[in-house]
Amino acid sequence: MELFGLPALELIYILTGIILIVVSILSFMDTTNSKRFGTGLFWLIYGISFIFGKYIPDEINGWMVIALAVIVATKQLGKGSYNESTMEMKQSESERIGNAIFVPALLVGIVTFIIGIFTKLGALVGLGIAAIAALLLAFGLTRVSIHQGFNEGRRLIDAIGWTAILSQLLAALGYVFGLAGVGQVIATGISSVIPVENIFAVVATYCIGMAIFTIVMGNAFAAFAMMTTGIGIPMLIQMHGANPAYIGPVAMLAGYCGTLVTPMAANFNIVPTALLEMKDQYGVIKAQWPIAMALLVVNILIMYYLVIF
């Protein structure tokens, strides 16, 4: 579906790229950041990839990714000044706005759900539209300038740093592994170890494998491509007649159990510790692992009974 003459999802990518380029310009201009050129260049390249990535030759895109890696490896990302308001003003605004400050965040989920369910735009486009609606509402509630809004966004993305792009890199890695036939290698290895005629053994291996590969790769989507190709499709769907509509979502949930306990999922488990200024870098993981293990067992049981019945 198109919006303003462009595919809806591509338009969201373009808007994201524009925001990143504005962030890069502000970074270049921030003289308080001793690494402003590296920081600005990083977000500039990332923004360009969002806007023009599909039109740029693959080799050039590859060099752009290498450039991002070099900037990170040489530690050229830094933090600067973001024109933050005083603590007194923050306290005053907190009292004025109250719990209404949470409405924009709730709006993101609500609008995304409505657009994803009741339109043909899809959930990703819905998320983009929801983010824009939430941003406009936040501007109305806080009464800050657009310039300050970009500065706050820059402050957050600088705090997150290079891990902001980790999800995309890991998802791409999973796709490459799928093309390389890793799933078939997994299938061959598993079939020689476990009794494939035992449904519970296959289900447990599938779910535990999803969690383990997610821990290693940091992304359940990357793990899903390999484990479903190697176990889900040939051993559960084709061999035992399982319903893919049932086992697919549960497999993803099993993978998310791995997400809860891996530092590779930095945007979930490492970034929050930085934003919340926690003393223990792995405090989030330590708090989550018991729940993750319990949920993994539950997902195995759910998938087993969905397969059987």
Side-chain angles (χ1 to χ4, degrees):
M1 189 172 180
E2 293 189 348
L3 290 173
F4 306 108
L6 289 171
L9 186 57
E10 183 176 344
L11 183 61
I12 297 299
Y13 287 152
I14 291 173
L15 291 174
T16 303
I18 291 172
I19 291 173
L20 288 168
I21 289 176
V22 172
V23 167
S24 76
I25 293 172
L26 292 174
S27 297
F28 281 127
M29 296 171 60
D30 188 354
T31 55
T32 65
N33 184 353
S34 61
K35 300 178 179 179
R36 60 192 177 110
F37 292 109
T39 305
L41 184 60
F42 185 90
W43 298 123
L44 177 62
I45 294 173
Y46 195 36
I48 290 173
S49 71
F50 267 94
I51 300 174
F52 303 109
K54 67 178 294 185
Y55 307 105
I56 297 174
D58 293 341
E59 183 176 349
I60 302 300
N61 276 317
W63 282 109
M64 289 168 63
V65 173
I66 292 174
L68 294 178
V70 170
I71 292 172
V72 174
T74 55
K75 299 181 179 180
Q76 294 306 304
L77 289 178
K79 299 178 182 179
S81 175
Y82 308 99
N83 297 323
E84 290 187 71
S85 56
T86 63
M87 185 57 66
E88 291 76 13
M89 182 178 179
K90 290 180 180 178
Q91 182 63 39
S92 174
E93 287 296 282
S94 173
E95 294 173 357
R96 179 182 70 83
I97 299 172
N99 290 332
I101 195 64
F102 296 107
V103 174
L106 294 173
L107 189 66
V108 172
I110 294 171
V111 174
T112 301
F113 177 80
I114 292 174
I115 293 177
I117 295 296
F118 298 107
T119 74
K120 296 181 180 180
L121 292 173
L124 284 178
V125 175
L127 178 61
I129 295 174
I132 295 171
L135 179 63
L136 294 175
L137 179 59
F139 277 133
L141 286 173
T142 59
R143 302 173 187 172
V144 300
S145 66
I146 294 178
H147 181 267
Q148 184 57 29
F150 275 110
N151 266 319
E152 288 298 321
R154 184 167 67 94
R155 179 177 66 82
L156 288 175
I157 202 168
D158 280 350
I160 295 171
W162 67 269
T163 56
I165 70 174
L166 189 59
S167 296
Q168 290 170 283
L169 292 177
L170 292 173
L173 180 62
Y175 180 73
V176 171
F177 278 11
L179 292 179
V182 176
Q184 184 58 47
V185 174
I186 293 173
T188 302
I190 293 298
S191 61
S192 65
V193 175
I194 68 168
V196 294
E197 67 280 358
N198 185 316
I199 300 178
F200 183 81
V202 176
V203 166
T205 303
Y206 185 26
C207 291
I208 294 173
M210 277 293 302
I212 291 175
F213 271 87
T214 301
I215 290 172
V216 173
M217 304 184 70
N219 191 297
F221 292 96
F224 185 79
M226 293 184 295
M227 295 305 298
T228 301
T229 301
I231 298 178
I233 294 175
M235 298 183 189
L236 286 177
I237 296 173
Q238 295 178 345
M239 185 179 299
H240 294 292
N243 188 333
Y246 290 162
I247 69 168
V250 179
M252 286 298 295
L253 290 174
Y256 295 150
C257 294
T259 301
L260 294 174
V261 297
T262 177
M264 287 295 290
N267 49 333
F268 292 104
N269 301 327
I270 302 301
V271 170
T273 63
L275 295 178
L276 297 174
E277 298 180 352
M278 296 173 61
K279 294 181 179 179
D280 187 350
Q281 182 181 9
Y282 302 107
V284 172
I285 293 176
K286 291 177 181 178
Q288 290 176 165
W289 78 262
I291 297 174
M293 296 302 100
L295 287 176
L296 180 58
V297 173
V298 171
N299 285 321
I300 292 173
L301 295 176
I302 290 174
M303 184 182 291
Y304 176 69
Y305 284 107
L306 285 177
V307 170
I308 295 297
F309 299 106

